[in-house]
Amino acid sequence: MRATLLLLFFAAAGLVSVAASAQVVLDYQAAPAGSSYRATFKVSHGCGSSPTRQVVVEIPAGVRNAQPMPKAGWQLTVERGALPQPETDHGRTVTDTVVRVTWTARTREDMLSSAHYDEFVLSARLPQQPGTIYWPVRQVCEEGRSDWVEIPAAGQKRSDLKSPAALLEVLPVGGAGAHKH
């Protein structure tokens, strides 16, 4: 357990400098494979001086059971899509999964001012396979939009991207005490 925590700490610390240039980032950028993960998307400002009126998060392939947290003043929309093949989850056959979560401000007063910061949260189960996954996020403002959807090509540095998708390192599970589903 202690080795896993240290690994998470060092992995997250190494990613902080890369993510600092992005405008929508995950609060915690590393988590164990197969774990329940609280994805907190930090939105630091609007589009120039225009307030954010909508945040759309695409759920990466392999991520399951996404459950968004409602926000006061924001309408929540959850879109589902068919799985490539049925899966079994806690003894039930599952044929679809959440593919997109959208938060939309109900009124102009509910929009996220460019002068403020906010978080948009969902919980999900991560894939069993370790590796890097990207969460494309679209930030729609009263005037304009920012699509944080770029994924680096092989050999390309994430820091070279103008609008990088939020990044999460899915780490190998260590130790016999790890919780599995």
Side-chain angles (χ1 to χ4, degrees):
M1 177 69 169
R2 183 175 175 188
T4 300
L5 290 175
L6 286 173
L7 183 60
L8 282 171
F9 171 78
F10 287 116
L15 295 171
V16 169
S17 63
V18 172
S21 64
Q23 301 307 317
V24 175
V25 297
L26 285 164
D27 196 22
Y28 295 99
Q29 298 170 357
S35 68
S36 177
Y37 175 66
R38 184 176 190 259
T40 302
F41 298 91
K42 297 168 32 172
V43 179
S44 60
H45 60 71
C47 308
S49 61
S50 182
T52 300
R53 68 177 180 82
Q54 187 177 68
V55 174
V56 181
V57 175
E58 303 289 333
I59 307 301
V63 173
R64 298 289 185 259
N65 301 338
Q67 294 178 301
M69 181 183 290
K71 290 181 72 61
W74 293 72
Q75 177 180 339
L76 186 58
T77 305
V78 176
E79 296 177 48
R80 300 185 71 83
L83 289 169
Q85 59 189 21
E87 297 177 0
T88 301
D89 183 23
H90 292 93
R92 301 180 307 137
T93 299
V94 180
T95 59
D96 66 350
T97 190
V98 175
V99 295
R100 184 177 300 109
V101 175
T102 303
W103 290 268
T104 304
R106 293 183 188 279
T107 68
R108 188 171 200 299
E109 290 74 31
D110 294 324
M111 291 182 195
L112 175 59
S113 164
S114 231
H116 298 111
Y117 139 93
D118 205 349
E119 298 176 340
F120 297 80
V121 180
L122 63 85
S123 174
R125 189 178 71 238
L126 296 179
Q128 295 294 331
Q129 187 67 23
T132 303
I133 60 175
Y134 295 92
W135 302 71
V137 178
R138 288 172 174 73
Q139 179 184 6
V140 182
C141 298
E142 189 173 48
E143 293 179 24
R145 65 187 286 152
S146 295
D147 292 332
W148 307 103
V149 298
E150 294 179 327
I151 297 170
Q156 184 180 23
K157 293 180 183 175
R158 187 168 182 270
S159 59
D160 292 338
L161 301 175
K162 182 181 176 190
S163 301
L167 170 126
L168 176 67
E169 284 296 331
V170 178
L171 305 173
V173 176
H179 178 78
K180 298 187 191 235
H181 278 250

